[in-house]
Amino acid sequence: MTMRFKAGLLPVLVLAWVAPAGAAMFWQPIPSQHSGMHHDRMAAKHFVLHNGDGAGVRVLHPDLQEQVLELKHGQLSFKATGKNNYHALIASRDQNHVHETAIRYLFLHGKPTGHSPSELTAASKAVLDIVPSPLPREHWHYQGNQQVRFQILFQGKPLAGHAVSIHTSHETDMQATTDAQGMIQVTVPDDFTAIKPGRMHTPPAEWQFMVQHMQNGEQYRTTLTAPYYVDANHWQLLSWGGLTAAGGMLLGIIMLVRRQSRKKSSGIKKGRR
């Protein structure tokens, strides 16, 4: 797997990875210049569509309303819709008997819609679909060492016994095979090398799922990308270890003081005799 930098329309550099199976079309976010707790949750989201020449772009809202979007030089600036919950960002392209789709789910803030994310994942987005089962809840994320499930559908039906390739921006490669229900269960990679205490202090990584299928001379290829975060146990265990060590030291001091106190008391009693 090769890594490269690609200059974007926005004044930032985007770190991109290319899947070894070919020039797959996939979404990647452009990092915001604002970080921390004071960022604007209603600000526009920015994405790059890699290998997406000629693709059309649309987004499905939580209430399944469809909105057509426009790419500019391979980049997309997507403003909040005013609807709270997950949205599905979809790029699609059909040419030379090859049908490609790139999907990314993103949580946007706004007014409650009364719709469940399961409605969005169940909606038709591509002939060959990669469906999170389920999507993470609003304040949850994919996290290292977590067990998660996805379903592969072809024409709305489970695609059994099919290979799924998984690649990460930290250069981890994984393979999975769907079961009879088209499901795969995978462990979120724990491949972070520079870890700082606190989830938001370690930048998330990206993972990409890719599945390909041939039928009647037509090739279908779909990617799903999403961020994943470092396993919180890395610093929680260190914190507990520190607390345990501190507690042990405190207990040792208390026992030493009590022992000295007993010796002193014993000495006083002997002197009185």
Side-chain angles (χ1 to χ4, degrees):
M1 184 179 300
T2 57
M3 304 289 289
R4 62 187 174 85
F5 283 97
K6 181 174 180 179
L9 188 64
L10 295 174
V12 296
L13 288 177
V14 179
L15 182 63
W17 78 96
V18 180
M25 181 171 66
F26 66 96
W27 288 107
Q28 186 181 23
I30 298 175
S32 172
Q33 296 180 355
H34 304 285
S35 60
M37 299 299 294
H38 302 290
H39 67 281
D40 184 0
R41 297 194 303 177
M42 302 300 290
K45 309 288 185 181
H46 305 287
F47 298 91
V48 174
L49 179 63
H50 293 284
N51 309 313
D53 291 346
V57 178
R58 59 194 173 98
V59 64
L60 280 181
H61 295 204
D63 56 6
L64 304 187
Q65 177 186 346
E66 186 173 298
Q67 177 184 355
V68 176
L69 303 176
E70 182 181 358
L71 284 172
K72 293 184 178 180
H73 304 284
Q75 294 189 4
L76 177 71
S77 181
F78 178 43
K79 296 181 180 179
T81 62
K83 301 172 184 178
N84 194 79
N85 219 320
Y86 277 102
H87 295 61
L89 185 60
I90 307 162
S92 56
R93 177 175 59 199
D94 301 305
Q95 53 184 242
N96 300 324
H97 302 283
V98 178
H99 310 276
E100 300 175 88
T101 307
I103 303 171
R104 189 179 184 93
Y105 291 92
L106 54 149
F107 196 99
L108 298 178
H109 295 274
K111 296 181 179 179
T113 63
H115 290 269
S116 167
S118 61
E119 298 178 49
L120 184 65
T121 56
S124 176
K125 292 171 288 296
V127 176
L128 180 62
D129 200 358
I130 304 173
V131 182
S133 300
L135 280 164
R137 291 164 54 189
E138 176 185 356
H139 298 294
W140 293 64
H141 302 270
Y142 294 123
Q143 181 176 287
N145 292 316
Q146 177 187 33
Q147 293 283 323
V148 293
R149 288 160 56 89
F150 298 84
Q151 187 176 35
I152 310 303
L153 302 175
F154 182 71
Q155 296 178 340
K157 298 179 181 180
L159 189 61
H162 209 79
V164 180
S165 299
I166 305 165
H167 311 281
T168 81
S169 54
H170 288 170
E171 302 188 28
T172 297
D173 295 339
M174 301 161 54
Q175 295 286 329
T177 302
T178 59
D179 64 15
Q181 287 73 47
M183 302 292 297
I184 59 171
Q185 180 170 295
V186 296
T187 301
V188 182
D190 184 30
D191 55 2
F192 293 85
T193 55
I195 299 173
K196 298 180 180 179
R199 180 174 58 83
M200 300 309 294
H201 296 152
T202 301
E206 288 279 309
W207 62 344
Q208 176 196 111
F209 293 76
M210 183 171 67
V211 61
Q212 301 186 82
H213 183 61
M214 290 287 297
Q215 182 159 309
N216 299 327
E218 302 289 311
Q219 181 181 2
Y220 300 86
R221 178 165 59 193
T222 296
T223 62
L224 171 71
T225 54
Y228 65 96
Y229 290 78
V230 65
D231 183 354
N233 284 323
H234 280 294
W235 63 84
Q236 289 174 350
L237 289 174
L238 289 174
S239 298
W240 278 110
L243 288 173
T244 301
M249 290 179 62
L250 180 59
L251 181 60
I253 292 172
I254 292 173
M255 292 177 66
L256 180 61
V257 170
R258 287 181 176 177
R259 185 180 303 171
Q260 291 176 342
S261 177
R262 285 197 298 267
K263 287 183 178 180
K264 186 176 180 181
S265 176
S266 178
I268 292 174
K269 290 180 179 179
K270 289 180 179 180
R272 287 179 179 175
R273 290 177 185 174

